[in-house]
Amino acid sequence: MKSAWLLFSLFVPVVVFAKPSFVTVNGYDVEYEMSGNGKHTVFLEAGGSAGLSDWDPIFKSLAKNTRVIRYSRIGNGGSEHVVKNYSSEEYAEEARLVLEALHIKKPVVYVAHSYGAYIARRFAATYPEWVSGLMLVEPASEHDVDIMRRIDLTKAEKEIAQVKLDDMKNGMSNQYLDFWAKRPLPSYPEIQDIPVTVIASIKKYENPPLLFFTDEAREMWGELHSEWAYAFPQGKAVLTNKSYHFPQKDEPDMVVQEVFDLLGRINH
C-alpha cells in the first residue's frame, strides 16, 4: 500500500548537482546552495528524505529578488549519509548551526515543505530570534491521523497500522521514528507573532487510496491548516485545488508569489 503524506518523502526526484557547496556541521559535511541578494534571507527546508533538490522548481526564481539558501539535512541529498533516529529538535539545532556556519547575521524567512514543517515550527519556537517570517508548504501535520479517525475509526486504525509498517519496511528515513514516537505531537503555540503563510492542498482524488485522501478529509485538511494559520494575527492560508503534495513543483509561480507576499508583510 502506498500511504498518504507519511510516505510522500519516498517520491523525491533524483537530481545530480554539478558543483555543490559544503559546510561542516557537527563533524558532518552538509550540502547547501546560496544565491541572490536582498533585504531578507529565505531559508528553504526540504520535506521527508528529500535533499535541496526539493526546491529546484523555485530556487532560481526566488534568487532573482532576494538571498535564498537551501540545504540537504545530514543523511539526505548530497550531505554526508548517516543512519540515526533524528528528532525534529536535533534537526532544528543543526539548521541553526548551518546558518551560523554560513555567517547569517539577521533572522531568516523560514520556508518549509512537508516533514520540514515540523523542523521549521520547532526552529521558530526554540530560536525565535532567528525567524522573521514562516511559510509552511503542504506541511505534515500531527492531526492527519485524527482526520482519518474522525471519518471512520475502525478503517482508519487498519490503514494507519499498515502505513506505519510500510514506513519501516521502506528504510526508515532518519525522521520516521521521531514521528511515530510522538503522539500527540505539539502544535507549537509558543511561536511568536510573526507573519505566517500556510499553503495546503485540497485537490480531490478520483480514487482515494486512503481515508486521508477522501473528499471529506481534503476539506478537513484545508480547515485544519486555515485554523492554524489564522490563529496568528499576521497569518494567511492559501488553499490550492491545482496540486497535491508538491505545490512548488506543480504551481511554482504561485509559491514564488506567496513567498514574496510574505516578505512584503514583514516589518509592515
Side-chain angles (χ1 to χ4, degrees):
M1 176 188 296
K2 291 185 179 179
S3 74
W5 64 265
L6 301 170
L7 287 180
F8 272 130
S9 58
L10 298 179
F11 305 104
V12 177
V14 176
V15 178
V16 177
F17 295 95
K19 295 181 180 179
S21 297
F22 291 88
V23 65
T24 301
V25 171
N26 281 341
Y28 296 107
D29 292 332
V30 175
E31 175 189 46
Y32 78 94
E33 183 176 0
M34 180 163 52
S35 184
N37 293 284
K39 178 181 178 181
H40 301 287
T41 297
V42 174
F43 185 62
L44 302 175
E45 185 78 55
S49 56
L52 51 75
S53 62
D54 202 16
W55 300 106
D56 276 354
I58 68 171
F59 183 79
K60 290 183 179 179
S61 294
L62 290 176
K64 291 178 181 178
N65 293 288
T66 191
R67 179 164 63 171
V68 58
I69 301 169
R70 60 177 175 170
Y71 80 112
S72 299
R73 290 187 296 276
I74 295 172
N76 296 341
S79 292
E80 192 161 343
H81 286 192
V82 57
V83 178
K84 175 184 176 182
N85 296 331
Y86 263 100
S87 68
S88 55
E89 290 84 358
E90 289 175 295
Y91 277 135
E93 180 184 13
E94 289 182 350
R96 177 181 59 82
L97 293 175
V98 168
L99 292 172
E100 289 181 347
L102 296 178
H103 307 291
I104 303 303
K105 303 297 183 182
K106 295 181 179 180
V108 299
V109 179
Y110 212 127
V111 178
H113 174 232
S114 191
Y115 173 80
Y118 283 132
I119 301 165
R121 289 186 296 178
R122 172 49 58 195
F123 188 99
T126 307
Y127 310 111
E129 70 279 8
W130 276 95
V131 184
S132 59
L134 181 65
M135 175 179 284
L136 309 181
V137 181
E138 257 298 277
S141 169
E142 57 270 21
H143 300 301
D144 54 352
V145 295
D146 300 328
I147 288 174
M148 296 171 67
R149 287 171 174 145
R150 284 171 60 185
I151 295 173
D152 186 329
L153 179 60
T154 301
K155 186 175 182 180
E157 293 299 341
K158 293 180 180 179
E159 291 185 350
I160 293 166
Q162 186 61 52
V163 167
K164 185 175 181 179
L165 290 174
D166 290 345
D167 274 357
M168 295 181 177
K169 184 189 302 182
N170 282 286
M172 289 297 294
S173 180
N174 288 353
Q175 78 271 4
Y176 284 142
L177 281 181
D178 174 58
F179 170 79
W180 287 114
K182 294 183 178 181
R183 293 294 308 168
L185 294 169
S187 291
Y188 307 100
E190 63 271 40
I191 296 176
Q192 296 188 355
D193 178 14
I194 56 176
V196 171
T197 298
V198 177
I199 300 176
S201 170
I202 56 171
K203 186 174 182 180
K204 304 296 179 61
Y205 287 73
E206 291 186 6
N207 299 297
L210 294 170
L211 285 171
F212 183 67
F213 294 116
T214 60
D215 290 358
E216 184 178 0
R218 294 290 82 205
E219 292 178 5
M220 294 168 68
W221 186 245
E223 292 170 358
L224 180 153
H225 287 303
S226 294
E227 180 180 354
W228 192 88
Y230 287 121
F232 290 87
Q234 303 178 74
K236 177 181 180 181
V238 178
L239 305 183
T240 177
N241 60 6
K242 296 180 180 179
S243 58
Y244 290 119
H245 194 58
F246 293 89
Q248 72 271 33
K249 177 181 178 181
D250 298 329
E251 300 178 79
D253 291 342
M254 180 273 286
V255 176
V256 168
Q257 179 181 341
E258 291 301 334
V259 171
F260 287 126
D261 174 83
L262 179 62
L263 297 183
R265 285 152 49 204
I266 296 173
N267 298 327
H268 283 280

